[in-house]
Amino acid sequence: MTRDPASVDTDVAQLPLDLRLRDASRFVEYHAEANRIARDTVESLGRNAGLSQPQVYLHGPGATGKTHLLQAACHVAHERGDRAAYLPLAELATAPPAAVLDGLERAGLVALDDLAAVVGSPAWDEALFGLLNRLRDAGCRVLLAAPEPPDDMGATLPDLSSRLGWGPVFRLEPPEEEDLRRILVDRARRRGLEMPDAVAAYVLRHQRRDVAALLALLERLDLAALAEQRRLTIPFVRDQLARSAAD
């Protein structure tokens, strides 16, 4: 469960984890034009901007930004003074469901990530069914994320599938080349680096087009540029990619 800065009461759940939101998980950092409507809807939910259905379900393959959007909504909720809880269920699946979920209706926003890690377990399905009912009765906003749409999650309770789809359901698409270029340039800027468009284009031609892989490469380039006091140029990046391939 998220602690300070975006937290619920410490007695909401007793877990041996201190799970924090990534600072870079902000709406301004999310670049995927194909997912603009989903992004805007999640931001409206985070801001409590009067959506008719206070629940949003995101699904799609990895590296489409589901976690990013859930955490960005929690950041926004916190900035408004709301209590927000972000739960990566893949990391919490071995805990008793009650220890994870009980008391969450006291939060203004609850974001449940990695639903596929627990849905299909009878104990978890019962607990999630009860939680979603409590959250709706309490007027909480709810964000849900999984690889599959609600009906394909394999829930042991048919009523859970219907509750997972209570609000808008969006499929997120992978970022396109221009989206990836903007991600690289913006993240480099956050690190105090200037990445010219030509360098970003070179990276995209020679590196796997996966957000996680690109950001891992950017971290290596940042460390190497600092150690060698170099700027991000095509020759420098070419040399770093060659060194990585040789390792």
Side-chain angles (χ1 to χ4, degrees):
M1 181 178 299
T2 303
R3 311 294 187 193
D4 187 27
S7 64
V8 294
D9 287 341
T10 55
D11 63 341
V12 166
Q14 301 300 320
L15 296 171
L17 297 172
D18 188 15
L19 303 172
R20 297 182 181 275
L21 305 177
R22 296 192 299 258
D23 186 61
S25 294
R26 309 281 183 162
F27 288 110
V28 70
E29 300 282 347
Y30 184 79
H31 302 295
E33 186 59 27
N35 302 326
R36 181 174 56 83
I37 295 175
R39 175 209 174 280
D40 291 349
T41 303
V42 172
E43 183 171 12
S44 294
L45 190 73
R47 297 188 184 282
N48 198 16
L51 291 181
S52 58
Q53 290 287 344
Q55 178 174 304
V56 175
Y57 185 107
L58 304 177
H59 69 96
T64 51
K66 299 185 293 293
T67 295
H68 187 117
L69 290 177
L70 265 60
Q71 293 198 4
C74 289
H75 275 300
V76 165
H78 167 68
E79 289 161 4
R80 297 181 68 256
D82 289 345
R83 291 174 175 174
Y86 168 77
L87 285 84
L89 294 177
E91 299 179 33
L92 305 173
T94 58
V100 178
L101 304 179
D102 282 4
L104 287 175
E105 60 272 14
R106 299 178 218 170
L109 174 69
V110 174
L112 303 179
D113 205 353
D114 307 319
L115 278 168
V118 296
V119 171
S121 160
W124 273 99
D125 287 358
E126 289 279 358
L128 287 168
F129 176 80
L131 173 67
L132 293 176
N133 286 328
R134 296 196 308 274
L135 294 177
R136 171 155 290 208
D137 290 343
C140 296
R141 288 116 64 210
V142 181
L143 278 169
L144 307 168
E148 305 294 338
D151 289 343
D152 295 343
M153 288 292 290
T156 58
L157 294 177
D159 285 346
L160 175 59
S161 297
S162 67
R163 278 156 178 74
L164 292 174
W166 255 341
V169 175
F170 294 101
R171 173 181 167 82
L172 298 186
E173 300 298 334
E176 298 180 356
E177 181 172 346
E178 176 59 19
D179 301 320
L180 294 172
R181 186 197 65 77
R182 292 176 63 191
I183 290 170
L184 276 173
V185 171
D186 286 356
R187 292 294 180 90
R189 185 180 299 115
R190 285 178 60 88
R191 289 175 169 268
L193 297 170
E194 179 185 356
M195 177 175 281
D197 287 344
V199 175
Y202 179 86
V203 169
L204 292 175
R205 287 198 302 272
H206 294 87
Q207 178 70 12
R208 183 162 51 93
R209 294 188 179 188
D210 172 87
V211 173
L214 291 172
L215 295 182
L217 171 62
L218 181 59
E219 182 173 2
R220 295 199 302 273
L221 293 175
D222 185 10
L223 294 174
L226 180 63
E228 300 180 25
Q229 294 295 295
R230 298 279 299 276
R231 294 182 297 110
L232 295 184
T233 64
I234 289 177
F236 174 74
V237 172
R238 182 191 302 123
D239 180 57
Q240 295 302 316
L241 290 175
R243 291 184 188 182
S244 295
D247 289 343

